[in-house]
Amino acid sequence: MIVTTKKLFEHAYGKYAIGAYNINNLEQIVGLFRGNLDSQAPFIIQISKGARSYTDKLFLEGLIRAADEVYPEAVFAVHLDHGDEATCYDCINSGFYSSVMIDGSSLPFEENIATTRRVVDAAHAKGIVVEAELGMLGGVEEHVQVAEADAKLTNPAQAREFVERSGCDSLAVAIGTSHGAFKFSGTQSLHFDVLAEIQERLPGFPLVMHGSSSVPQEEVERINAAGGNLAGAKGVDANQFRHAAELGVTKINIDTDGRLVWTRVHREFFLQHPEKFDLRDPGKVFMAEYAKFIAAKNEYLGSAGQLPDVRKFLGL
Ligand code: G3H
Ligand code: 13P
Ligand code: ZN
């Protein structure tokens, strides 16, 4: 069942974080639903602008509606990831998305507030909730590369004013993570001090951590051993998720790790089975591996096992 992130956050706040997983195709969607049901977790499906234009945005909508019927026990939100203003309105008017992100993080403070406010007004009129972003992550997203030097941590002193004036329902904060497979040139440096300061100024308000893939070294090694070249890839320590949740993070975004599962499965499959060419063969392996990956991630997030209680909380 599709619900708003707001409801999920109310249940999760201070206790655990909900996995927000980017999807692009059928196999990911099936693996995602299976993995979340296997681990009994609520979840958030994220659709980026790139995912919407990979084929036609209606295909993803159709696939997710079908998954909702095939897996009636699942409880999830459908969320636009890193939207611009026009895409937010398109999603708000579609009647399908329960949540949108307006990413005004590259705009000056006042412009970010004004843009977010316009999206919030349009979204709230239809019962849809809005994630906004303050601060700037490093890394790659939507063909935009943000250099480490240009990335900016969220300023806790601005966070409260931003939330009050924009009316957003959750806030993505930059605390040292970055998008993609190459985070942290040296050792990991997540700024929990900054997160704690933001929570102090916004008690009870749901915060979001982007760029939170772990880039498991075992996965990278397997990909490289099967012909890949991802030397130096590095991610966030998943053992930090629970601490982030205690500090008000209710949504943790993970995309890159799922892409690594896809790459490892397909590289290894064709290396081990050079005679095969039926796309369903690696597809089956991928769906099973993706489900396992999701279930394992939910254990770190603390969302595993929460589904029965979430269903009760929602009166389902
Ligand atoms: O933050 C970006 C997400 O990983 C989505 O990536 O824009 O390539 O679909 P994408
Ligand atoms: P990763 O690249 O770390 O998976 O981050 C995904 C993300 O933040 C999507 O919005
Ligand atoms: Zn992101």
Side-chain angles (χ1 to χ4, degrees), residues 264-288:
R264 182 251 302 164
V265 164
H266 288 83
R267 280 197 178 280
E268 286 186 349
F269 184 87
F270 287 113
L271 197 65
Q272 287 158 13
H273 304 282
E275 76 292 357
K276 295 220 175 187
F277 56 89
D278 183 343
L279 61 93
R280 292 169 297 195
D281 290 335
K284 281 180 212 161
V285 180
F286 172 71
M287 287 187 279

Short mmCIF file of all heavy atoms in Angstrom, two decimals, residues 264-288:
data_model
loop_
_atom_site.label_atom_id
_atom_site.label_comp_id
_atom_site.label_asym_id
_atom_site.label_seq_id
_atom_site.Cartn_x
_atom_site.Cartn_y
_atom_site.Cartn_z
N ARG A 264 27.84 -6.70 -10.20
CA ARG A 264 28.51 -7.93 -9.77
C ARG A 264 27.80 -9.17 -10.32
O ARG A 264 28.43 -10.06 -10.88
CB ARG A 264 28.55 -7.97 -8.24
CG ARG A 264 29.27 -9.16 -7.66
CD ARG A 264 28.35 -10.15 -7.00
NE ARG A 264 27.57 -9.55 -5.93
CZ ARG A 264 26.48 -10.12 -5.42
NH1 ARG A 264 26.04 -11.28 -5.91
NH2 ARG A 264 25.82 -9.54 -4.44
N VAL A 265 26.46 -9.18 -10.20
CA VAL A 265 25.71 -10.35 -10.66
C VAL A 265 25.93 -10.57 -12.15
O VAL A 265 26.23 -11.70 -12.59
CB VAL A 265 24.20 -10.18 -10.37
CG1 VAL A 265 23.37 -11.19 -11.17
CG2 VAL A 265 23.93 -10.33 -8.87
N HIS A 266 25.80 -9.51 -12.93
CA HIS A 266 25.88 -9.70 -14.37
C HIS A 266 27.30 -9.98 -14.86
O HIS A 266 27.51 -10.83 -15.72
CB HIS A 266 25.25 -8.50 -15.10
CG HIS A 266 23.76 -8.49 -14.95
ND1 HIS A 266 23.13 -7.97 -13.85
CD2 HIS A 266 22.78 -9.01 -15.73
CE1 HIS A 266 21.82 -8.14 -13.97
NE2 HIS A 266 21.58 -8.76 -15.10
N ARG A 267 28.29 -9.31 -14.25
CA ARG A 267 29.69 -9.60 -14.64
C ARG A 267 30.04 -11.06 -14.32
O ARG A 267 30.59 -11.76 -15.14
CB ARG A 267 30.66 -8.67 -13.91
CG ARG A 267 30.76 -7.30 -14.54
CD ARG A 267 32.00 -6.56 -14.07
NE ARG A 267 32.11 -5.27 -14.70
CZ ARG A 267 32.59 -5.06 -15.93
NH1 ARG A 267 33.01 -6.07 -16.66
NH2 ARG A 267 32.65 -3.85 -16.43
N GLU A 268 29.70 -11.47 -13.10
CA GLU A 268 30.07 -12.85 -12.71
C GLU A 268 29.29 -13.87 -13.53
O GLU A 268 29.84 -14.88 -13.96
CB GLU A 268 29.79 -13.06 -11.22
CG GLU A 268 30.81 -12.37 -10.31
CD GLU A 268 30.62 -12.69 -8.84
OE1 GLU A 268 29.58 -13.29 -8.47
OE2 GLU A 268 31.52 -12.33 -8.04
N PHE A 269 28.00 -13.57 -13.76
CA PHE A 269 27.17 -14.54 -14.48
C PHE A 269 27.74 -14.83 -15.87
O PHE A 269 27.90 -15.99 -16.26
CB PHE A 269 25.72 -14.04 -14.59
CG PHE A 269 24.82 -15.06 -15.23
CD1 PHE A 269 24.20 -16.03 -14.46
CD2 PHE A 269 24.64 -15.07 -16.60
CE1 PHE A 269 23.40 -17.01 -15.06
CE2 PHE A 269 23.84 -16.04 -17.20
CZ PHE A 269 23.22 -17.01 -16.42
N PHE A 270 28.04 -13.78 -16.60
CA PHE A 270 28.49 -14.02 -17.98
C PHE A 270 29.94 -14.53 -18.06
O PHE A 270 30.30 -15.23 -19.00
CB PHE A 270 28.29 -12.76 -18.83
CG PHE A 270 26.83 -12.53 -19.13
CD1 PHE A 270 26.15 -11.46 -18.60
CD2 PHE A 270 26.13 -13.44 -19.92
CE1 PHE A 270 24.79 -11.27 -18.86
CE2 PHE A 270 24.77 -13.26 -20.18
CZ PHE A 270 24.10 -12.17 -19.64
N LEU A 271 30.71 -14.22 -17.01
CA LEU A 271 32.06 -14.78 -16.96
C LEU A 271 31.97 -16.30 -16.72
O LEU A 271 32.67 -17.09 -17.33
CB LEU A 271 32.84 -14.10 -15.83
CG LEU A 271 34.34 -14.23 -15.85
CD1 LEU A 271 34.92 -13.52 -17.07
CD2 LEU A 271 34.94 -13.61 -14.57
N GLN A 272 31.06 -16.68 -15.81
CA GLN A 272 30.92 -18.10 -15.46
C GLN A 272 30.12 -18.89 -16.50
O GLN A 272 30.21 -20.11 -16.56
CB GLN A 272 30.24 -18.23 -14.08
CG GLN A 272 31.16 -17.83 -12.93
CD GLN A 272 30.37 -17.44 -11.67
OE1 GLN A 272 29.17 -17.69 -11.57
NE2 GLN A 272 31.06 -16.82 -10.72
N HIS A 273 29.28 -18.20 -17.27
CA HIS A 273 28.42 -18.89 -18.25
C HIS A 273 28.55 -18.23 -19.62
O HIS A 273 27.59 -17.64 -20.12
CB HIS A 273 26.96 -18.85 -17.80
CG HIS A 273 26.73 -19.41 -16.44
ND1 HIS A 273 26.69 -20.76 -16.17
CD2 HIS A 273 26.55 -18.78 -15.25
CE1 HIS A 273 26.49 -20.94 -14.88
NE2 HIS A 273 26.40 -19.76 -14.30
N PRO A 274 29.72 -18.36 -20.24
CA PRO A 274 29.92 -17.65 -21.52
C PRO A 274 28.99 -18.14 -22.63
O PRO A 274 28.79 -17.44 -23.63
CB PRO A 274 31.39 -17.94 -21.86
CG PRO A 274 31.80 -19.08 -20.99
CD PRO A 274 30.92 -19.08 -19.79
N GLU A 275 28.40 -19.31 -22.43
CA GLU A 275 27.54 -19.86 -23.47
C GLU A 275 26.10 -19.36 -23.38
O GLU A 275 25.28 -19.60 -24.26
CB GLU A 275 27.55 -21.41 -23.38
CG GLU A 275 26.74 -22.04 -22.25
CD GLU A 275 27.27 -21.79 -20.82
OE1 GLU A 275 28.33 -21.15 -20.66
OE2 GLU A 275 26.60 -22.21 -19.85
N LYS A 276 25.77 -18.66 -22.29
CA LYS A 276 24.36 -18.28 -22.07
C LYS A 276 24.03 -16.93 -22.69
O LYS A 276 24.87 -16.03 -22.74
CB LYS A 276 24.07 -18.25 -20.57
CG LYS A 276 24.17 -19.63 -19.93
CD LYS A 276 23.08 -19.85 -18.91
CE LYS A 276 23.18 -21.28 -18.42
NZ LYS A 276 22.08 -21.66 -17.57
N PHE A 277 22.76 -16.79 -23.10
CA PHE A 277 22.33 -15.49 -23.64
C PHE A 277 20.86 -15.18 -23.33
O PHE A 277 20.29 -14.25 -23.88
CB PHE A 277 22.59 -15.43 -25.15
CG PHE A 277 21.93 -16.54 -25.93
CD1 PHE A 277 20.64 -16.39 -26.41
CD2 PHE A 277 22.60 -17.74 -26.15
CE1 PHE A 277 20.03 -17.42 -27.13
CE2 PHE A 277 22.00 -18.77 -26.86
CZ PHE A 277 20.70 -18.62 -27.35
N ASP A 278 20.25 -15.98 -22.44
CA ASP A 278 18.87 -15.69 -22.05
C ASP A 278 18.90 -14.67 -20.91
O ASP A 278 19.39 -14.96 -19.82
CB ASP A 278 18.18 -16.99 -21.59
CG ASP A 278 16.71 -16.76 -21.23
OD1 ASP A 278 16.31 -15.59 -21.03
OD2 ASP A 278 15.97 -17.75 -21.16
N LEU A 279 18.38 -13.49 -21.16
CA LEU A 279 18.46 -12.41 -20.16
C LEU A 279 17.77 -12.76 -18.85
O LEU A 279 18.05 -12.19 -17.80
CB LEU A 279 17.89 -11.11 -20.74
CG LEU A 279 16.43 -11.11 -21.18
CD1 LEU A 279 15.53 -10.62 -20.07
CD2 LEU A 279 16.25 -10.24 -22.42
N ARG A 280 16.84 -13.74 -18.91
CA ARG A 280 16.13 -14.10 -17.67
C ARG A 280 17.02 -14.87 -16.70
O ARG A 280 16.77 -14.85 -15.50
CB ARG A 280 14.87 -14.92 -18.01
CG ARG A 280 13.83 -14.08 -18.72
CD ARG A 280 12.72 -14.94 -19.27
NE ARG A 280 13.22 -15.86 -20.28
CZ ARG A 280 12.46 -16.53 -21.13
NH1 ARG A 280 11.15 -16.39 -21.10
NH2 ARG A 280 12.98 -17.36 -22.03
N ASP A 281 18.03 -15.52 -17.20
CA ASP A 281 18.91 -16.29 -16.31
C ASP A 281 19.64 -15.38 -15.31
O ASP A 281 19.51 -15.56 -14.10
CB ASP A 281 19.90 -17.15 -17.11
CG ASP A 281 19.18 -18.30 -17.82
OD1 ASP A 281 18.10 -18.70 -17.33
OD2 ASP A 281 19.68 -18.78 -18.84
N PRO A 282 20.40 -14.38 -15.79
CA PRO A 282 20.99 -13.47 -14.79
C PRO A 282 19.92 -12.64 -14.08
O PRO A 282 20.10 -12.24 -12.93
CB PRO A 282 21.93 -12.59 -15.62
CG PRO A 282 21.41 -12.67 -17.01
CD PRO A 282 20.82 -14.04 -17.16
N GLY A 283 18.81 -12.38 -14.77
CA GLY A 283 17.73 -11.59 -14.16
C GLY A 283 17.21 -12.26 -12.89
O GLY A 283 16.98 -11.60 -11.87
N LYS A 284 17.06 -13.59 -12.94
CA LYS A 284 16.58 -14.33 -11.75
C LYS A 284 17.59 -14.23 -10.62
O LYS A 284 17.24 -14.05 -9.46
CB LYS A 284 16.34 -15.80 -12.11
CG LYS A 284 15.04 -16.04 -12.83
CD LYS A 284 14.91 -17.53 -13.14
CE LYS A 284 14.15 -17.71 -14.44
NZ LYS A 284 14.35 -19.04 -15.05
N VAL A 285 18.86 -14.40 -10.98
CA VAL A 285 19.91 -14.30 -9.95
C VAL A 285 19.89 -12.90 -9.35
O VAL A 285 19.95 -12.71 -8.13
CB VAL A 285 21.31 -14.59 -10.54
CG1 VAL A 285 22.39 -14.48 -9.47
CG2 VAL A 285 21.36 -15.95 -11.22
N PHE A 286 19.77 -11.89 -10.21
CA PHE A 286 19.78 -10.52 -9.72
C PHE A 286 18.62 -10.26 -8.76
O PHE A 286 18.81 -9.68 -7.68
CB PHE A 286 19.73 -9.51 -10.88
CG PHE A 286 19.54 -8.11 -10.39
CD1 PHE A 286 20.57 -7.45 -9.73
CD2 PHE A 286 18.31 -7.46 -10.52
CE1 PHE A 286 20.39 -6.16 -9.22
CE2 PHE A 286 18.14 -6.18 -10.01
CZ PHE A 286 19.17 -5.54 -9.36
N MET A 287 17.42 -10.68 -9.12
CA MET A 287 16.26 -10.41 -8.24
C MET A 287 16.48 -11.03 -6.86
O MET A 287 16.18 -10.40 -5.84
CB MET A 287 14.97 -10.92 -8.88
CG MET A 287 14.52 -10.06 -10.05
SD MET A 287 12.90 -10.52 -10.70
CE MET A 287 13.32 -11.90 -11.75
N ALA A 288 17.02 -12.25 -6.85
CA ALA A 288 17.26 -12.92 -5.55
C ALA A 288 18.36 -12.20 -4.77
O ALA A 288 18.24 -11.97 -3.56
CB ALA A 288 17.65 -14.38 -5.79
#
